[in-house]
Amino acid sequence: MWRALCVITLFVTQSVLAASIVFSDDDDTLKQAIVSGWQACGEMTWCEDELSYYRDSFIAEARVEETQIHIELLAQYSAHRLSQVQLGLRKDGFELIKATIDQQSLDVNTLLTGLTRPEADKRVILFINRFSQSTPRVLIWQAGQRQVELTSDGEMITLRYHNDAQD
């Protein structure tokens, strides 16, 4: 059962067509799945040429250390893919904590100090909707100690995941 601020991790499963990533709550399972299912491409580094996050395909690289996991997913930009990635992150328990679009920033935690959650949500939506989806952006998402930086420049979409929000 999902909690409002559930702590998550990635599960990686191997299928006939491609590996897939789904956010869940077990770092050890994630590490084991990466190390055993992905291709070694360097010291403590594993790669996948086709990895699915929900319905979208990405190129992936993971660095697995004893206490940390860093994963980078890359895909060609499309407005649909950008929307789907954000929906996936929300499904997986992540909350948007900061948005920087066209060099303008909005810190959600700062909004929450003076507004109710619905009022803050409305301001975030209005801020994001002021810009075209292809406008360069960096969206920081967090769930517990896990964080994803979603970057889009209108040509590429990059997700950078790490399990230590203090990095």
PDB file of all heavy atoms in Angstrom, residues 77-89:
ATOM      1  N   TYR A  77      13.188  13.841 -26.646  1.00  0.00           N
ATOM      2  CA  TYR A  77      12.089  14.642 -26.137  1.00  0.00           C
ATOM      3  C   TYR A  77      10.822  14.450 -26.957  1.00  0.00           C
ATOM      4  O   TYR A  77      10.854  14.382 -28.175  1.00  0.00           O
ATOM      5  CB  TYR A  77      12.454  16.138 -26.160  1.00  0.00           C
ATOM      6  CG  TYR A  77      11.257  17.016 -25.889  1.00  0.00           C
ATOM      7  CD1 TYR A  77      10.855  17.266 -24.590  1.00  0.00           C
ATOM      8  CD2 TYR A  77      10.494  17.535 -26.930  1.00  0.00           C
ATOM      9  CE1 TYR A  77       9.731  18.036 -24.328  1.00  0.00           C
ATOM     10  CE2 TYR A  77       9.370  18.308 -26.679  1.00  0.00           C
ATOM     11  CZ  TYR A  77       8.992  18.552 -25.379  1.00  0.00           C
ATOM     12  OH  TYR A  77       7.874  19.301 -25.125  1.00  0.00           O
ATOM     13  N   SER A  78       9.711  14.383 -26.256  1.00  0.00           N
ATOM     14  CA  SER A  78       8.382  14.609 -26.821  1.00  0.00           C
ATOM     15  C   SER A  78       7.527  15.131 -25.672  1.00  0.00           C
ATOM     16  O   SER A  78       7.752  14.777 -24.506  1.00  0.00           O
ATOM     17  CB  SER A  78       7.771  13.340 -27.425  1.00  0.00           C
ATOM     18  OG  SER A  78       7.269  12.488 -26.419  1.00  0.00           O
ATOM     19  N   ALA A  79       6.576  15.981 -25.981  1.00  0.00           N
ATOM     20  CA  ALA A  79       5.704  16.530 -24.945  1.00  0.00           C
ATOM     21  C   ALA A  79       4.951  15.401 -24.237  1.00  0.00           C
ATOM     22  O   ALA A  79       4.784  15.421 -23.014  1.00  0.00           O
ATOM     23  CB  ALA A  79       4.725  17.536 -25.550  1.00  0.00           C
ATOM     24  N   HIS A  80       4.525  14.415 -24.992  1.00  0.00           N
ATOM     25  CA  HIS A  80       3.816  13.269 -24.417  1.00  0.00           C
ATOM     26  C   HIS A  80       4.714  12.520 -23.438  1.00  0.00           C
ATOM     27  O   HIS A  80       4.301  12.183 -22.325  1.00  0.00           O
ATOM     28  CB  HIS A  80       3.323  12.339 -25.527  1.00  0.00           C
ATOM     29  CG  HIS A  80       2.572  11.161 -24.993  1.00  0.00           C
ATOM     30  ND1 HIS A  80       3.167   9.945 -24.778  1.00  0.00           N
ATOM     31  CD2 HIS A  80       1.272  11.036 -24.603  1.00  0.00           C
ATOM     32  CE1 HIS A  80       2.272   9.102 -24.289  1.00  0.00           C
ATOM     33  NE2 HIS A  80       1.119   9.739 -24.178  1.00  0.00           N
ATOM     34  N   ARG A  81       5.949  12.244 -23.839  1.00  0.00           N
ATOM     35  CA  ARG A  81       6.881  11.516 -22.972  1.00  0.00           C
ATOM     36  C   ARG A  81       7.149  12.317 -21.685  1.00  0.00           C
ATOM     37  O   ARG A  81       7.167  11.757 -20.593  1.00  0.00           O
ATOM     38  CB  ARG A  81       8.196  11.223 -23.689  1.00  0.00           C
ATOM     39  CG  ARG A  81       9.187  10.474 -22.798  1.00  0.00           C
ATOM     40  CD  ARG A  81      10.449  10.071 -23.545  1.00  0.00           C
ATOM     41  NE  ARG A  81      10.122   8.902 -24.352  1.00  0.00           N
ATOM     42  CZ  ARG A  81      10.506   8.734 -25.616  1.00  0.00           C
ATOM     43  NH1 ARG A  81      11.225   9.656 -26.226  1.00  0.00           N
ATOM     44  NH2 ARG A  81      10.181   7.649 -26.274  1.00  0.00           N
ATOM     45  N   LEU A  82       7.344  13.622 -21.810  1.00  0.00           N
ATOM     46  CA  LEU A  82       7.582  14.455 -20.629  1.00  0.00           C
ATOM     47  C   LEU A  82       6.408  14.358 -19.660  1.00  0.00           C
ATOM     48  O   LEU A  82       6.592  14.187 -18.455  1.00  0.00           O
ATOM     49  CB  LEU A  82       7.828  15.911 -21.042  1.00  0.00           C
ATOM     50  CG  LEU A  82       8.128  16.891 -19.909  1.00  0.00           C
ATOM     51  CD1 LEU A  82       9.400  16.504 -19.166  1.00  0.00           C
ATOM     52  CD2 LEU A  82       8.247  18.307 -20.469  1.00  0.00           C
ATOM     53  N   SER A  83       5.197  14.420 -20.172  1.00  0.00           N
ATOM     54  CA  SER A  83       4.009  14.295 -19.326  1.00  0.00           C
ATOM     55  C   SER A  83       3.917  12.918 -18.685  1.00  0.00           C
ATOM     56  O   SER A  83       3.615  12.796 -17.497  1.00  0.00           O
ATOM     57  CB  SER A  83       2.738  14.549 -20.137  1.00  0.00           C
ATOM     58  OG  SER A  83       2.683  15.880 -20.559  1.00  0.00           O
ATOM     59  N   GLN A  84       4.192  11.876 -19.471  1.00  0.00           N
ATOM     60  CA  GLN A  84       4.098  10.510 -18.963  1.00  0.00           C
ATOM     61  C   GLN A  84       5.135  10.227 -17.878  1.00  0.00           C
ATOM     62  O   GLN A  84       4.844   9.536 -16.896  1.00  0.00           O
ATOM     63  CB  GLN A  84       4.229   9.501 -20.108  1.00  0.00           C
ATOM     64  CG  GLN A  84       3.059   9.507 -21.069  1.00  0.00           C
ATOM     65  CD  GLN A  84       1.744   9.223 -20.356  1.00  0.00           C
ATOM     66  OE1 GLN A  84       1.590   8.225 -19.669  1.00  0.00           O
ATOM     67  NE2 GLN A  84       0.787  10.128 -20.511  1.00  0.00           N
ATOM     68  N   VAL A  85       6.330  10.766 -18.037  1.00  0.00           N
ATOM     69  CA  VAL A  85       7.367  10.586 -17.018  1.00  0.00           C
ATOM     70  C   VAL A  85       6.918  11.230 -15.708  1.00  0.00           C
ATOM     71  O   VAL A  85       7.061  10.641 -14.625  1.00  0.00           O
ATOM     72  CB  VAL A  85       8.719  11.164 -17.493  1.00  0.00           C
ATOM     73  CG1 VAL A  85       9.705  11.278 -16.344  1.00  0.00           C
ATOM     74  CG2 VAL A  85       9.302  10.298 -18.599  1.00  0.00           C
ATOM     75  N   GLN A  86       6.346  12.425 -15.780  1.00  0.00           N
ATOM     76  CA  GLN A  86       5.878  13.097 -14.574  1.00  0.00           C
ATOM     77  C   GLN A  86       4.737  12.319 -13.914  1.00  0.00           C
ATOM     78  O   GLN A  86       4.700  12.183 -12.689  1.00  0.00           O
ATOM     79  CB  GLN A  86       5.450  14.525 -14.905  1.00  0.00           C
ATOM     80  CG  GLN A  86       6.631  15.398 -15.293  1.00  0.00           C
ATOM     81  CD  GLN A  86       6.214  16.775 -15.736  1.00  0.00           C
ATOM     82  OE1 GLN A  86       5.964  17.622 -14.896  1.00  0.00           O
ATOM     83  NE2 GLN A  86       6.110  16.980 -17.037  1.00  0.00           N
ATOM     84  N   LEU A  87       3.838  11.770 -14.717  1.00  0.00           N
ATOM     85  CA  LEU A  87       2.771  10.936 -14.168  1.00  0.00           C
ATOM     86  C   LEU A  87       3.352   9.704 -13.484  1.00  0.00           C
ATOM     87  O   LEU A  87       2.902   9.313 -12.402  1.00  0.00           O
ATOM     88  CB  LEU A  87       1.796  10.507 -15.270  1.00  0.00           C
ATOM     89  CG  LEU A  87       0.855  11.567 -15.797  1.00  0.00           C
ATOM     90  CD1 LEU A  87       0.080  11.041 -17.008  1.00  0.00           C
ATOM     91  CD2 LEU A  87      -0.098  12.023 -14.709  1.00  0.00           C
ATOM     92  N   GLY A  88       4.352   9.090 -14.115  1.00  0.00           N
ATOM     93  CA  GLY A  88       5.005   7.924 -13.524  1.00  0.00           C
ATOM     94  C   GLY A  88       5.662   8.247 -12.196  1.00  0.00           C
ATOM     95  O   GLY A  88       5.540   7.495 -11.225  1.00  0.00           O
ATOM     96  N   LEU A  89       6.341   9.378 -12.138  1.00  0.00           N
ATOM     97  CA  LEU A  89       6.983   9.776 -10.886  1.00  0.00           C
ATOM     98  C   LEU A  89       5.941   9.974  -9.777  1.00  0.00           C
ATOM     99  O   LEU A  89       6.146   9.537  -8.639  1.00  0.00           O
ATOM    100  CB  LEU A  89       7.811  11.044 -11.082  1.00  0.00           C
ATOM    101  CG  LEU A  89       9.085  10.870 -11.919  1.00  0.00           C
ATOM    102  CD1 LEU A  89       9.685  12.223 -12.272  1.00  0.00           C
ATOM    103  CD2 LEU A  89      10.094   9.987 -11.202  1.00  0.00           C
TER     104      LEU A  89
END
